[in-house]
């Protein structure tokens, strides 16, 4: 069981604590498997080198909580405001990674998450406006209805990514990688007509 004002080191959790609130907890090198923290709140907590696998984290609250080298695999992270996280300053690469996750309706607005890994994810209606996602890995991710505006996507990898709408005049896509056929979508905002 998890209690507020507690420290946890190298522990494995398989718990259903949906809708609970935890504050001032620290988790280091912990593993969370098949957990349900949907609509839960973590306030003023720290997660250091932790891994979440197949967890339900929908509508999770992370106010003033820090994530440092945290990975999410096959997790549901819908409607999460990552803007509430206490991100480390001057991080050279993103302190989180997502593989095979559902991130729909979440927000990364104005965040600096260089080298973010978001592979094989479903990211419908996610807010990436004004974010710095330099060198991000978006391989095989579905960006249906997601927002990119004044977003730094330089050197990002969009190989296998789909359904993205990126205005090349309003975002930095310098040296980003796109598949040839998908690159045609980048011309959509230019008010031009493509003919075969």
């Amino acid at each position: 069981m998890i209690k507020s004002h507690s420290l946890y080191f190298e522990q494995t959790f398989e718990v259903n604590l949906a809708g609970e609130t935890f504050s001032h907890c620290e988790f280091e090198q912990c593993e969370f498997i098949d957990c349900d923290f949907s609509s839960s709140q973590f306030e003023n907590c720290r997660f250091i080198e932790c891994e979440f696998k197949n967890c339900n984290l929908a509508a999770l609250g992370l106010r003033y909580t820090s994530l440092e080298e945290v990975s999410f695999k096959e997790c549901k992270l819908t409607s999460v405001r990552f803007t509430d996280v206490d991100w480390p300053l001057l991080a050279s690469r993103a302190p989180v990674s997502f593989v095979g996750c559902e991130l729909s309706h979440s927000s990364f607005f104005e965040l600096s998450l260089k080298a973010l890994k978001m592979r094989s994810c479903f990211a419908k209606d996610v807010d990436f406006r004004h974010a710095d996602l330099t060198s991000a890995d978006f391989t095989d991710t579905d960006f249906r209805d997601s927002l990119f505006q004044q977003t730094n996507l330089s050197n990002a990898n969009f190989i296998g990514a789909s359904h993205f709408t990126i205005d090349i005049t309003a975002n930095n896509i310098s040296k980003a990688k796109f598949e040839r056929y998908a690159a045609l979508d980048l011309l959509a905002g230019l008010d031009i007509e493509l003919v075969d």
Side-chain angles (χ1 to χ4, degrees):
M1 192 56 71
I2 298 173
K3 294 180 180 175
S4 292
H5 300 276
S6 301
L7 301 175
Y8 300 94
F9 180 69
E10 289 186 343
Q11 292 194 35
T12 298
F13 298 94
E14 293 183 51
V15 293
N16 181 342
L17 294 170
E20 300 286 331
T21 298
F22 309 95
S23 65
H24 298 90
C25 295
E26 185 169 305
F27 303 89
E28 185 170 356
Q29 295 178 17
C30 291
E31 197 173 35
F32 300 85
I33 302 171
D34 297 320
C35 293
D36 187 351
F37 288 113
S38 56
S39 299
S40 291
Q41 304 291 321
F42 284 93
E43 298 178 354
N44 294 288
C45 295
R46 283 184 80 190
F47 291 89
I48 306 160
E49 295 178 23
C50 292
E51 186 171 57
F52 290 82
K53 294 179 182 172
N54 198 38
C55 294
N56 183 354
L57 308 169
L60 179 69
L62 294 167
R63 287 193 332 147
Y64 311 114
T65 288
S66 65
L67 304 175
E68 302 162 39
E69 304 304 319
V70 176
S71 67
F72 299 92
K73 296 179 180 174
E74 308 292 335
C75 291
K76 184 176 184 179
L77 290 143
T78 53
S79 303
V80 175
R81 290 176 46 87
F82 290 98
T83 50
D84 291 340
V85 171
D86 183 13
W87 297 103
L89 295 173
L90 305 174
S92 60
R93 45 189 304 113
V96 291
S97 67
F98 307 95
V99 177
C101 294
E102 185 177 347
L103 292 151
S104 300
H105 315 297
S106 292
S107 178
F108 292 86
F109 181 73
E110 289 188 335
L111 294 182
S112 178
L113 292 172
K114 295 179 181 178
L116 173 68
K117 182 193 285 186
M118 189 179 288
R119 300 181 61 139
S120 303
C121 293
F122 185 65
K124 176 182 168 69
D125 187 34
V126 175
D127 190 351
F128 295 104
R129 292 173 303 151
H130 300 274
D132 184 352
L133 305 173
T134 304
S135 300
D137 182 358
F138 294 130
T139 307
D140 298 323
T141 290
D142 185 336
F143 289 104
R144 196 172 314 232
D145 302 324
S146 286
L147 300 173
F148 295 93
Q149 180 75 23
Q150 301 300 319
T151 308
N152 188 346
L153 300 166
S154 57
N155 292 297
N157 183 356
F158 281 90
I159 301 297
S162 60
H163 301 109
F164 50 81
T165 303
I166 299 172
D167 182 345
I168 61 176
T169 64
N171 295 281
N172 180 355
I173 61 166
S174 173
K175 298 188 177 172
K177 291 188 182 100
F178 296 90
E179 289 176 331
R180 222 176 274 280
Y181 76 90
L184 291 174
D185 292 338
L186 298 173
L187 303 177
L190 293 181
D191 195 26
I192 59 174
E193 183 180 349
L194 296 173
V195 252
D196 289 328

